[in-house]
Amino acid sequence: MENPIYVSLSRQLTLRRQLDVISNNIANMNTTGFKQQRMLFTEFLERPGMHEQVSFVQDRAVVRDLSAGGMMQTGNSLDLALTGHGYFTVDTASGPRYTRAGNFRLNDQRQIVDGGGLPVLGDNGQPLSIPNGTKDIMVSGDGTVSTELGQVGRLNIVTFRNEQLMTEVGAGLYVSDEEPQAAPAETKVAQGMLENSNVKPVVEMTALIEIQRQYQSNQKLIESEHERIRSAVQKLGRTA
């Protein structure tokens, strides 16, 4: 008798989760290197009785859209974008973390750091530092960093066998249980450019409106079914 309410509630929960994901996409539509996310849904069949079968909806996971965002030219020598699969490596107190956001700068020690002040690592596992007195910073397509005095080091650009298993830990950083491997040869560094978020604002806003409508419609269905059950119980009680 209560199966319609249970089914509606399962739908309500997934809509709420989907609303959160889309809201997060919209909030990050101007975040450098951000990858939009989508819910992965599956059908769950429950057999409450011998001849009954009830279909529920479940949100299994959040899937990232790994397609590249548009490139924006900035002219800043420490703004770097990756074309192709790969991640820059930064150092944290918890170990290396990985990011697509290449809006780097120099700190007081002339180390190259990310937007949060974390040191950017070279392929030797050490932070990259720019010598005092140098002005020109050049970054080649393979990630080699140089100044007018010569080569400084090479960015540690890596990828992972299954990027969907990477866990987002905030501030555009990711961590993975897999061992990183060298990015493919076709992955290049573009200096003076940043990778925009791949969120499509119009698409996300349209989806947000549609989900809100579905949520409201589903809520009305739950209320209507609750009223139907309450009315049926009252009638049964009067006839008992």
Side-chain angles (χ1 to χ4, degrees), residues 9-22 37-44 55-63 207 211 214:
L9 283 173
S10 76
R11 177 60 175 157
Q12 195 89 321
L13 289 171
T14 56
L15 284 171
R16 178 60 182 270
R17 176 66 172 139
Q18 195 173 8
L19 191 65
D20 290 342
V21 170
I22 291 180
Q37 300 174 332
R38 286 286 178 267
M39 297 299 304
L40 178 64
F41 298 105
T42 59
E43 182 184 31
F44 174 71
S55 175
F56 295 91
V57 60
Q58 286 187 322
D59 53 321
R60 285 294 186 184
V62 175
V63 180
I211 290 173
Q214 291 182 28

Side-chain angles (χ1 to χ4, degrees), residues 141-202:
D142 67 353
T144 299
V145 181
S146 306
T147 70
E148 62 266 34
L149 297 181
Q151 183 174 320
V152 171
R154 185 177 178 184
L155 292 163
N156 189 44
I157 303 171
V158 301
T159 190
F160 296 88
R161 184 178 57 84
N162 191 338
E163 295 179 53
Q164 291 292 350
L165 295 181
M166 298 177 71
T167 302
E168 188 175 3
V169 292
L173 302 178
Y174 297 90
V175 66
S176 176
D177 292 332
E178 294 182 6
E179 284 295 319
Q181 54 191 25
E186 58 267 25
T187 298
K188 301 296 181 184
V189 179
Q191 186 177 21
M193 303 188 76
L194 289 175
E195 180 188 6
N196 290 326
S197 164
N198 66 356
V199 173
K200 300 177 178 62
V202 175

Side-chain angles (χ1 to χ4, degrees), residues 4 29 36 48 53 80 94 113 121 148 153 165 169 172 175 180 198 200 206 219 226 233-234 240:
M29 63 185 181
Q36 68 176 354
Q53 181 171 286
L80 307 177
S94 302
V113 296
L121 296 180
E148 62 266 34
L165 295 181
V169 292
V175 66
N198 66 356
K200 300 177 178 62
T206 302
Q219 182 63 34
H226 174 74
V233 170
Q234 287 178 342

